[in-house]
Structure formats: C-alpha cells, structure tokens
Amino acid sequence: MRDYSNRKFIIGGAAIIIVIVYTLRLLMLQIMSDDYRKSADSNAFLKQTEYPARGCIFDRKGKLLVFNQPSYDVMVVMNEAKDHIDTLALCEALGITRDFFDKRMADIKDREKNPGYSRFTQQVFITQLDEQDFAVFREKLFRFPGFYIQRRTLRQYQYPYGAHVLGDVAEVSQGDIEEDNYYIKGDYIGKLGVERSYEKQLRGEKGVQILLRDAHGRVQGHYQNGKYDRRPVPGKNLTLSIDIDLQALGERLMEGKIGSIVAIEPSTGEVLCMVSSPTYDPRILTGRRRGKNHLALQRNVWKPLLNRSIMGQYPPGSTFKTSQALTFLTEGIITPQTAFSCPHGFSFKGLHVGCHGHASPLSLVPALSTSCNGFFCWGLYYMIGNRKKYGKPHNAMNVWRDYMVSMGFGYKTGIDLPGEKRGLIPNGDYYDNAYKGSWNGLTVISISIGQGEVNLTPLQIANLAATIANRGYYVTPHVVKAIQNERLDTTYTKKHYTKASREAYDWVVQGMRASATGGTCHALSRYPYVACGKTGTAQNRGRDHSVFMGFAPMDNPKIAIAVYVENGGFGADFGVPIGAVMMEQYLTGKLSPAAQAWANALQSRHIAYGDSDR
C-alpha cells in the first residue's frame, strides 16, 4: 500500500513556487520593465524635443562666417505607424523611393544599427528637409499616422574659405552618444575645426514640450498648460581671431600648390589666418549631400581634409637656424662677433655639408642674412663636443633639446583645434638608441640647419616667428578670440618665456632684418613696412620645399607669419613673395597695385606634382 503522507507538502511546495514565479513576473513587468509605462506614456503624452539654435561664428572684424537656416526632420513612432498607410503617397511626398522607405524602416528597428531604439519614442526617419520640401510634406502629414515633423537648423557658411578652421557639423556617431549622454540618435555634433573643439559652447541646451493626446492620438494641448515644458537655450556665439579677408587672400595665393600659411598676432597668440592647401569649400559639407561630398574628399589623393597647418610635419630648413643662434648665444658657445669660415659649406673630418657662395668668414648677423650653413654647423659641433661644459654629447644634446622645447617645439602647441601633431625634436636617448651610444656632433650635424630628424608643423614655425617678434615669449596660439558671455581659457592668455636671453633675441632680430634689406629675403625691402625675415629651403627626397618665416613691423610687430610650399624650391621662390603680400594685406588693409600684380602672378604659378610628391 502506497504512503501518501507527504503529499500535502509536495502540493503546498508547488503552490508556493507558482506564487513566487507569478510575483517575480509581476515585479519585472511593473517595476523592472518600462514597456507598459512607455506604452501608457506614448498613448497619453507626446514629448517633442526643441533643439536650440547653434551659436553663430564671426571673424575678428565682426563679419558673419557661419549661421543657421531652418531645416526639418521627419520623425516616426513605430508603435503608431500603421501598416495600412499609403506608402507610395508618403514616398512621393518626401521624394524618396520605396526601396529607401523599406530599408530605412528596417534600419530603425535594427538594434545593432540603432541601439537606442524604442517603438514608443520618436525615431529619425529622414533628415534635413528644406523649406520647399517641408511645405509639400506638411500639407499631407495628416494622411500618415505616426509620422511627425521636428524643426531643426542647418549650418550655413557665408564664405568658401576657412574650411579647416571652421570645421563642419554632422550626425552623431554611436561613440559620440556613449561619450556624452546629451546626445541621442539623430542629433548633430561638430566634427572638425572649432565646430568640434567648441561644441559644448556652440550647441546650447535642448528644450522639451510635453503635449497631451486623446484616445485617438490627437494632440489636445500642452500638459498642465506647459508647466513641465522647458525652452531651449541657444548656443553661444564665437568670435574668431581669423581675418577672413587675409584668409581669402592666402587661399588664393596657394592655389595649385600643396602647403600652408599661418599668421599670428605676436602679442596675443591670435591666429590671423590658417591656410592649408589643397582645401575645399565648407559649404559642400552641409545638407543631405554631405555624406557623398565628404566621401569624395576622403578619397581625394591630395588629401584636402588634412589640415597641413597643424598636422603636416616638415623639416623646417633654414628657418630653424634662428633657434640655433638663440641657443648658441645664450649658452656662450658663440658671441655675436664669433666668425666661422664657410668655403662653400662645412667641411671637417671627411664630412661636407654644402652651402651657396657668400663672403667668408662671417659672424652671426651676416650668417643669418645669407643663411650660411657652415656657421650653424660649426656652432652645433662645438656645443655637442664641449665636454668641459656638458660632460658628454648625451648631456649637451639634452640641454639643446630643452631650449627647443621652451620655444614650442617637440610637443603640441595646445591650439584650440583638434588633430594637432607634435613634430619631432630628438634628445640624447634618441641618438643613443639610434647609434648604440656611439655618436658625436658630426653624427647629428644636419639638425643645426633644420634637417635630419627635426620636424615641425607650419604652426610651430609661425610661433617661432612670433616668439622672436616678442623678443622671447609666446602666447599659446588660438583661433577663438572671444566667447559670448564667457571668459577665454587662461591657457590662451598666459605668456610662455623661452630659455634664450633677451640679448640673444635682439641679435637674431638684427640678422632677420639684414636678410630683408640685403640677404635672402631682400624682396621684402620693396614693401611699405619694416619687415624681418628668414628663408628656408628644406631638402626633400624630390624637389626642395620653399619656406619663409618673418614678422612686421620690426618694432611693435603686428603680424608673424610662416609659409610652407611643398616642392616649391628655394625659400625666395614662393615663401618670401607670398609672405610679403600677406603682411601688406594685413598691415595696410589692402594691396597696392604692385602687390596685387605679385598676388595675381603667384596665384597663377602652379606646381606640377607627381605621384611621388603626395
């Protein structure tokens, strides 16, 4: 006979388990899951985001560069979109194909492509309708339940210049959303230039309207008369340090050339122009054609998206000799009267570094004026080999490195633009690793004339000119001059003093002035301002690069400039005339007839680049 004495415990245990399971399920539905809450909210409320107007951008003279135009996004709530809507009529109203409609609806539901998807909230269906398309669609909107219009703004660029400085705006990526919870799918964010680096100031704060709906989904008005609505806060306007007229001239002069022009106001560090060539019209990266145009720019073999002013890393050539003079003078390796011979170059122990013909021997000022290679090779040789002062070459090299770093080389300057590169300044460890500890001044002699391992960006070369113009200090370069209702970061107002002495700077200024009056920059003497300059002819695997660095006026300087033209030959071929015309434009506000003729000639002088020059 079976024993059923434990049956009541089994049945009771099963009942308890069932109750627990149902209780847990109810908790999940009512507390842990928000599906039903979202469904209820969706039926009763319609939350509409109000996007703020993005801040406008002006140049240093108050000229409007970037502003906003109204545009419209079509939004869809999947839970409300009915299967029986007239899809063909919807496609016709929006000017899209049925294939596009089907793919877009599938993409919205795809949680891999759209991780934040919810069938109860508005999802972006199509973006950036213009006024004309919006007017057509609005008249037919009542026929398409679940579809809504959301007002947005579209960036407009007043001029076809300054693309690398201004940047552009595009839809956020998933990475942007994960990095900052301000953004949701379909939002826009600055991608490059100041649009990116000042995104938080420009974007403003979103607002929201909470609308009440009836059982048929019809909007009845604001919930509690708008008590919980929040108005959007417009973004802040920016005033750039850029002079758009100077920028336009620079881009014109660099047509058909690869390279950069950077001009800085020495006393403030404000960037007056930043030209990277080849460039593009910023207006092509707006609207619904942005993606197609951006892809074409990405595929362009000449890399127009690359901002060579801050990303190009080049040998500075003879412009670097000014930093060597400052170092040798301050360290006592030379005096202003020290003279070295240069029989067409530096020759010692079988090593020869060539130089063009000029008087010999010569001291510092004429050495800078004529851009003598021999003088600066001897200076570095005696510094690295001075065991009495430094002990060994490794220590001397590190002292040299410290001077270079104090002048803004080897590290990013900290400019308020994304993507800046640091260049390269070697130190003792670098050469110990490269030559297994067996090296001397002759091994590294080429760095004394801006060749070898030394690489700088055009911005760093312009900053060197600004530092010399200031006789020993620079302010971190920046392209934003002012932010509406906000102080500029102190990073861009603080003076950075170098290790070189004031007396050393005075002698270098004399050398650069002598170059402008009768040396390699003698073309500057024809212009109506007192200029100082230094040429550079940077050696390259192909044709040499043409480099110029200068400032004006000599006393109380208003502009410091660097010009870098890839494969442009001697510094006097392209660098000097371009720099001279740019300085006249900024200092006088216009070009004289003679300067205008020079500008026209320079604009038409294109350089034939081959595949090896890319």
Side-chain angles (χ1 to χ4, degrees):
M1 184 175 177
R2 295 182 180 180
D3 182 8
Y4 294 101
S5 61
N6 292 327
R7 183 169 55 183
K8 62 180 181 180
F9 298 108
I10 296 172
I11 295 172
I16 291 171
I17 291 172
I18 292 171
V19 170
I20 291 173
V21 168
Y22 273 94
T23 302
L24 290 174
R25 181 56 180 160
L26 286 170
L27 285 171
M28 289 180 65
L29 288 174
Q30 296 181 11
I31 299 175
M32 299 180 67
S33 173
D34 61 355
D35 283 355
Y36 289 95
R37 179 182 58 78
K38 285 183 176 179
S39 180
D41 284 351
S42 177
N43 290 331
F45 302 112
L46 176 63
K47 293 182 180 180
Q48 286 192 337
T49 300
E50 287 194 291
Y51 286 90
R54 196 169 175 87
C56 296
I57 303 176
F58 301 85
D59 90 332
R60 67 185 297 111
K61 296 179 180 176
K63 293 184 178 179
L64 181 62
L65 304 181
V66 187
F67 58 100
N68 304 300
Q69 289 278 49
S71 72
Y72 304 87
D73 291 350
V74 178
M75 314 295 290
V76 60
V77 178
M78 289 300 199
N79 198 49
E80 300 174 16
K82 307 300 182 183
D83 293 334
H84 60 268
I85 65 171
D86 190 339
T87 305
L88 293 179
L90 176 67
C91 293
E92 182 181 353
L94 289 173
I96 59 176
T97 64
R98 176 59 187 264
D99 288 342
F100 177 91
F101 173 87
D102 292 337
K103 183 178 186 304
R104 185 65 194 129
M105 294 295 274
D107 287 346
I108 290 173
K109 296 176 183 177
D110 188 333
R111 292 187 181 275
E112 289 188 5
K113 295 181 179 179
N114 186 18
Y117 170 70
S118 168
R119 68 181 186 272
F120 303 114
T121 61
Q122 292 188 0
Q123 305 291 314
V124 178
F125 178 72
I126 194 170
T127 63
Q128 298 180 346
L129 292 184
D130 59 25
E131 289 275 11
Q132 184 176 353
D133 292 337
F134 164 68
V136 172
F137 184 65
R138 182 174 56 180
E139 293 179 358
K140 303 176 181 179
L141 185 61
F142 71 94
R143 299 172 57 185
F144 312 119
F147 285 84
Y148 299 90
I149 288 290
Q150 184 161 265
R151 192 178 190 278
R152 302 292 291 269
T153 57
L154 182 66
R155 274 318 224 187
Q156 294 291 318
Y157 298 86
Q158 186 76 8
Y159 299 92
Y161 312 117
H164 295 99
V165 174
L166 296 173
D168 66 301
V169 174
E171 190 171 336
V172 293
S173 66
Q174 185 58 34
D176 295 325
I177 295 171
E178 292 171 357
E179 186 176 323
D180 189 339
N181 60 14
Y182 173 89
Y183 302 103
I184 60 172
K185 186 74 173 178
D187 282 355
Y188 298 108
I189 191 173
K191 291 292 185 180
L192 293 170
V194 295
E195 294 277 22
R196 182 68 178 189
S197 52
Y198 288 86
E199 165 67 14
K200 290 186 177 179
Q201 288 88 350
L202 288 166
R203 73 188 184 189
E205 297 177 18
K206 296 175 188 174
V208 65
Q209 287 188 23
I210 304 176
L211 306 176
L212 191 64
R213 301 195 290 193
D214 63 17
H216 300 286
R218 294 171 298 198
V219 174
Q220 299 300 301
H222 291 263
Y223 175 62
Q224 291 195 9
N225 295 320
K227 179 180 178 181
Y228 298 102
D229 291 354
R230 186 174 68 251
R231 295 186 62 81
V233 178
K236 297 178 180 180
N237 297 334
L238 300 182
T239 298
L240 302 188
S241 58
I242 299 294
D243 182 325
I244 196 61
D245 295 326
L246 189 66
Q247 181 77 24
L249 175 61
E251 293 190 20
R252 181 161 72 92
L253 295 174
M254 289 297 290
E255 287 181 11
K257 310 167 188 68
I258 297 175
S260 170
I261 305 172
V262 180
I264 297 174
E265 183 177 68
S267 62
T268 63
E270 294 174 1
V271 176
L272 303 173
C273 80
M274 180 176 283
V275 176
S276 178
S277 181
T279 186
Y280 58 94
D281 186 338
R283 295 175 294 189
I284 69 172
L285 294 186
T286 60
R288 294 167 67 180
R289 295 180 60 191
R290 181 195 181 277
K292 181 179 179 180
N293 291 335
H294 192 270
L295 183 61
L297 291 172
Q298 282 183 311
R299 291 175 174 174
N300 189 311
V301 295
W302 302 110
K303 299 179 175 62
L305 288 173
L306 179 69
N307 185 352
R308 289 170 168 82
S309 298
I310 61 174
M311 298 177 181
Q313 300 175 93
Y314 301 102
S318 294
T319 60
F320 199 61
K321 291 172 182 174
T322 55
S323 67
Q324 304 310 287
L326 293 165
T327 303
F328 302 155
L329 283 169
T330 306
E331 282 294 290
I333 303 301
I334 64 171
T335 70
Q337 291 73 40
T338 300
F340 294 119
S341 63
C342 181
H344 291 278
F346 172 84
S347 297
F348 190 65
K349 293 186 178 181
L351 176 67
H352 180 74
V353 179
C355 188
H356 55 276
H358 55 70
S360 176
L362 72 179
S363 59
L364 176 64
V365 169
L368 285 169
S369 173
T370 59
S371 198
C372 171
N373 285 341
F375 185 95
F376 296 96
C377 287
W378 281 115
L380 185 73
Y381 174 74
Y382 283 124
M383 179 175 179
I384 301 300
N386 193 331
R387 293 183 178 272
K388 182 177 180 180
K389 186 176 180 67
Y390 305 111
K392 56 183 180 179
H394 178 100
N395 297 337
M397 193 73 236
N398 284 346
V399 171
W400 178 90
R401 182 275 318 273
D402 290 344
Y403 273 88
M404 299 304 104
V405 170
S406 79
M407 295 177 195
F409 309 143
Y411 293 90
K412 297 176 182 179
T413 66
I415 190 171
D416 51 346
L417 288 174
E420 183 185 12
K421 301 299 183 183
R422 61 182 290 176
L424 175 62
I425 293 294
N427 58 14
D429 290 340
Y430 180 96
Y431 288 122
D432 284 346
N433 292 331
Y435 297 104
K436 310 302 180 186
S438 179
W439 58 278
N440 57 36
L442 293 178
T443 313
V444 303
I445 203 70
S446 60
I447 65 174
S448 67
I449 56 173
Q451 298 290 161
E453 293 74 27
V454 171
N455 275 327
L456 306 181
T457 64
L459 174 64
Q460 289 172 328
I461 300 173
N463 196 46
L464 172 61
T467 306
I468 298 171
N470 289 333
R471 277 61 165 181
Y473 75 87
Y474 68 90
V475 178
T476 300
H478 51 284
V479 297
V480 170
K481 182 181 177 70
I483 306 169
Q484 182 183 11
N485 299 326
E486 186 177 322
R487 285 181 177 273
L488 205 62
D489 194 299
T490 55
T491 300
Y492 306 117
T493 58
K494 180 182 177 182
K495 293 180 179 179
H496 301 273
Y497 287 87
T498 76
K499 289 174 64 68
S501 68
R502 170 60 191 254
E503 182 182 8
Y505 277 100
D506 289 337
W507 282 106
V508 168
V509 169
Q510 286 190 40
M512 292 178 67
R513 178 57 187 159
S515 179
T517 55
T520 56
C521 297
H522 62 86
L524 292 175
S525 61
R526 73 182 68 180
Y527 289 89
Y529 49 80
V530 179
C532 298
K534 183 72 194 73
T535 55
T537 304
Q539 294 176 7
N540 182 42
R541 284 175 295 182
R543 290 167 291 176
D544 292 341
H545 302 317
S546 178
V547 195
F548 167 73
M549 175 189 80
F551 61 90
M554 183 174 75
D555 299 316
N556 192 25
K558 301 297 182 184
I559 181 173
I561 192 167
V563 180
Y564 209 107
V565 180
E566 293 188 28
N567 310 122
F570 293 113
D573 290 345
F574 282 99
V576 174
I578 289 175
V581 169
M582 292 289 287
M583 286 193 286
E584 177 170 317
Q585 168 68 37
Y586 183 71
L587 293 172
T588 66
K590 61 181 181 179
L591 295 180
S592 64
Q596 187 63 63
W598 266 101
N600 293 338
L602 288 165
Q603 182 181 1
S604 63
R605 288 177 62 191
H606 292 189
I607 297 174
Y609 293 97
D611 290 342
S612 61
D613 299 321
R614 292 176 188 165

